Every structure is written in C-alpha cells, then in structure tokens.
Amino acid sequence: MYLHSITMLRAIAILLIVGSHCHRISNIMPSNFIHRLLINITAGGTVIFVFLSGFLYHHIFYLKGRTNIFLKKRAIRLLIPYLILSIIPIAYKIYSQPNFWSSYIHHEKTGILNEYIYPIFLFLIGGDHLVAYWYISFAMLLFLCFPLHNMFIKANYKGQILILAITLSISLIVQRPPPLSLLSIQSLIYFTPVYLFGIYCSIYKESMYSFFRAKEYLFLFPFLIILLLQTYLGIEGNAEKNFFSYEGIDSILPQKIFLCLFLIVWLRRFEGFDNKYVMLLANTSFAIYFLHGYILRLLYIIKEHLEIEEFSQPLLIFFASLVLIILTSILIATAIKKVFKDNSSYITGY
C-alpha cells in the first residue's frame, strides 16, 4: 500500500537537510536566540532520512519478499550517483588542497599512489569533498547490515524493545563523529537505533496510527520542550565528538525522534492528499541531496566574488537560499531525467 504520509515526510526531511546547510551562507549566527532556534530545528534532518529508510525497508522490501534485491536497488540509487558526482569535487580538492589528508598520508612521498589513489580513496570513504556526501559510505554500511535488520524484525516484541533501548542509549553517548574522522562506523552506531525504530514503526504502524490518532500532541510537546531547552541553554546544532571521549548526552537525536513520531501520526490525516509539487519534492529528494552541494558551492563563490561578508536580513537570505537551492536542484534533476530517461537514476538517483 502506497503511503502519501511517508511521501510528505520525505519532502520535509530533504527541506531540513538542505536548510541545515544554508546557515553559513546566510550568516545565521548561534549567538542570536531566533537563529539558534532555526539551527536546532533544521539540525539532525538526517535522523528523519534514516528513520524513513528503516520504515521503507520493512514496508517495501521485507513485506514484499524483495530483500534479495535490496542491496542492488540501494547501489543504483545511492552508490553509483555518488561515484559519478564525486569525480569533479574530488579532482578539485586534490588540485586545490593536496595536503587535505596530511594526517593520514605522508606527502613527502610522491607518486600516483600517494598523490592520487590514497586521497581519492579517503575522499570516497569520508565524503569530505562535498557537503553531506559523508552519508553515502555510512548508508552503504547500514544497508550491508540488512541480515541483522531481518533478525530484528523476526524478534518478539520484548526483544525489539530491549534492542532499541540498548542501541539508543549507546547512541546518546557515542554521538556523531566530527568531520574528517573517516569514522563511518561511528555513524553506523549512532544512527542504527533510528533505522531500527523506523522498521519498528512500520511493523506496528496500524496499531500506532489507531492508538495515537488525535493524540499527536503526546509527541509534539516533548519535541518542542527539547527544542526550546536546547535553544535556551545555548546548545546549537548536532553534537559531534570523537568516539572514545565523553561529552554528555546528545539532545538532537531524541528531539528528532519525537518529531518523526509526531509527523508520521499527524501526516496520516492527509493520506488522501496527493499534491504533485510535494510528490515531486519527495521523488527528487535523493537528487536534491546529491546536487545541492554543487549549488551551495556556487553561491559561496558568488558571495566571495561580490565581497559580501554579512547580510542585513539573514533570515530572509536563509529562506531565499533554501528555495533557490531546492528549485535549482529539482530543475537540474528533471532536465537530466528528460535527457537520460530511466538511466538518470545512475547519475542523480532520480
């Protein structure tokens, strides 16, 4: 059964993800309460993406007995476009920042292996050549674990609750890895309970929809309380740290989990709502994810060329940038699809 509510949630997720990357270009500063509130609203959009991936794995692949083609489908949708769209930014990084991986490579050693092969490999593993590309290496690790996810699905109710409680507790302490860490395994540990929770919500979706109908506020209130507390206490954005250090408890993860629960129940009210623009935004979400870094980089170049250091209306610039990046990404994705037809999925994932 096709779920329009899940389609709408995909559209919201990509808006949050792109929005989280528009802070710097628009001079959204965490010292300002309203700006910090916006940062915390948009932070952690990946949590919703991972939640949806888990939900759809059970709903589309497991229930229909298609787990045997799951990895192939994910490779076509994510890995191949990632490799193609990484060519230009990796080439530029190697040319403009040859010492980017100096902590991993001894650059006094020359030759193709040290100057090109190793850096290319590290960029592909870390995803540090373009904004948000770190997600792919982590996502492929997550998808490779699908036999373990099947075991979770087959476990009894109490076993599933126990697994979720243990993995979530670990995630809250481990947190996300910092940039340039090459720790996809830390991202795997951090996001796995979110993926499993998405599966869990798909398994029990009918009971959840029935029990929480008209009670969405039970999820909305905790989300708002955590959001406002974060903002009031001066916490901004995602919590990131090295694996073995302890820096408190992550607050973005529970905030976004409550948001997922609120949205998945609330959007159920609009199951019959079929808007072509929302549908287009959701269907091109992977393409937007892959392309928005290019457009964002172009905006930075324009900003530097015009010698703009800050804006008088950063909130206005933020929303203008968000709309511009989303629309431009959709236009490029649809143009590529018109030219390459079904093969466009190998280029942009759409």
Side-chain angles (χ1 to χ4, degrees):
M1 181 180 69
Y2 187 85
L3 299 174
H4 286 287
S5 54
I6 296 300
T7 298
M8 288 184 274
L9 188 53
R10 283 171 60 196
I12 292 170
I14 195 61
L15 285 174
L16 291 178
I17 289 172
V18 176
S20 69
H21 298 142
C22 293
H23 301 152
R24 198 171 132 223
I25 188 70
S26 54
N27 299 120
I28 297 295
M29 305 301 292
S31 57
N32 181 299
F33 183 88
I34 299 299
H35 290 190
R36 194 161 60 247
L37 184 67
L38 180 61
I39 290 171
N40 287 330
I41 289 172
T42 54
T46 306
V47 172
I48 303 178
F49 237 36
V50 174
F51 173 86
L52 282 171
S53 294
F55 190 101
L56 292 173
Y57 171 72
H58 176 263
H59 186 72
I60 293 177
F61 291 96
Y62 187 86
L63 288 182
K64 297 179 181 179
R66 301 170 65 201
T67 55
N68 59 317
I69 64 169
F70 173 68
L71 282 179
K72 178 183 176 181
K73 289 287 187 181
R74 294 303 90 185
I76 291 173
R77 194 78 184 271
L78 289 179
L79 189 56
I80 296 176
Y82 175 63
L83 295 174
I84 292 173
L85 292 173
S86 292
I87 294 172
I88 293 176
I90 288 179
Y92 176 75
K93 279 281 190 180
I94 291 175
Y95 170 77
S96 63
Q97 296 176 263
N99 296 321
F100 191 86
W101 296 110
S102 58
S103 59
Y104 293 88
I105 303 172
H106 298 293
H107 281 278
E108 61 272 11
K109 296 180 180 179
T110 58
I112 293 177
L113 193 64
N114 289 283
E115 295 181 72
Y116 299 100
I117 304 300
Y118 284 165
I120 289 172
F121 176 76
L122 292 175
F123 275 122
L124 288 175
I125 294 298
D128 294 288
H129 47 289
L130 202 63
V131 64
Y133 272 25
W134 64 269
Y135 178 83
I136 303 303
S137 56
F138 143 70
M140 294 313 298
L141 275 180
L142 181 67
F143 298 148
L144 284 170
C145 295
F146 78 93
L148 297 176
H149 304 149
N150 291 344
M151 292 172 63
F152 173 81
I153 293 170
K154 294 173 183 176
N156 60 39
Y157 175 81
K158 291 182 179 179
Q160 291 169 338
I161 293 294
L162 180 62
I163 292 169
L164 285 172
I166 293 172
T167 55
L168 181 58
S169 299
I170 294 171
S171 293
L172 293 175
I173 296 172
V174 168
Q175 302 182 13
R176 288 171 56 153
L180 306 181
S181 62
L182 295 178
L183 287 177
S184 296
I185 189 69
Q186 185 173 341
S187 294
L188 178 64
I189 293 170
Y190 178 76
F191 285 107
T192 286
V194 180
Y195 190 83
L196 294 179
F197 190 59
I199 291 174
Y200 181 85
C201 287
S202 177
I203 295 172
Y204 302 105
K205 56 182 173 291
E206 295 306 328
S207 298
M208 184 176 65
Y209 292 147
S210 175
F211 183 80
F212 289 105
R213 189 183 331 181
K215 300 187 186 87
E216 300 95 332
Y217 59 87
L218 294 175
F219 301 128
L220 179 62
F221 286 166
F223 161 70
L224 291 174
I225 289 169
I226 297 172
L227 173 64
L228 292 173
L229 273 175
Q230 287 173 319
T231 308
Y232 176 75
L233 295 173
I235 300 170
E236 76 269 353
N238 296 308
E240 298 175 345
K241 69 172 188 65
N242 293 318
F243 189 88
F244 292 107
S245 65
Y246 176 75
E247 297 181 20
I249 303 298
D250 176 36
S251 57
I252 283 291
L253 189 58
Q255 184 229 94
K256 283 300 180 287
I257 287 176
F258 279 119
L259 180 60
C260 284
L261 287 168
F262 165 70
L263 289 173
I264 201 171
V265 176
W266 181 65
L267 290 173
R268 182 70 172 175
R269 297 168 177 253
F270 308 97
E271 200 58 62
F273 178 76
D274 186 10
N275 183 279
K276 63 179 181 179
Y277 299 110
V278 173
M279 198 76 152
L280 179 62
L281 179 59
N283 289 339
T284 57
S285 58
F286 279 124
I288 294 169
Y289 168 83
F290 280 121
L291 296 171
H292 82 277
Y294 278 91
I295 301 162
L296 188 61
R297 181 58 190 156
L298 179 60
L299 291 179
Y300 276 118
I301 293 172
I302 294 171
K303 185 180 178 182
E304 290 170 9
H305 179 72
L306 296 176
E307 298 182 349
I308 300 173
E309 293 187 4
E310 58 182 61
F311 297 101
S312 59
Q313 297 292 332
L315 285 175
L316 180 62
I317 297 299
F318 169 84
F319 288 108
S321 300
L322 176 60
V323 171
L324 177 62
I325 291 171
I326 292 289
L327 291 180
T328 306
S329 298
I330 292 174
L331 286 173
I332 293 172
T334 51
I336 290 174
K337 191 168 185 66
K338 284 185 179 180
V339 174
F340 293 95
K341 309 299 182 186
D342 291 340
N343 292 324
S344 67
S345 61
Y346 295 105
I347 303 172
T348 66
Y350 171 59

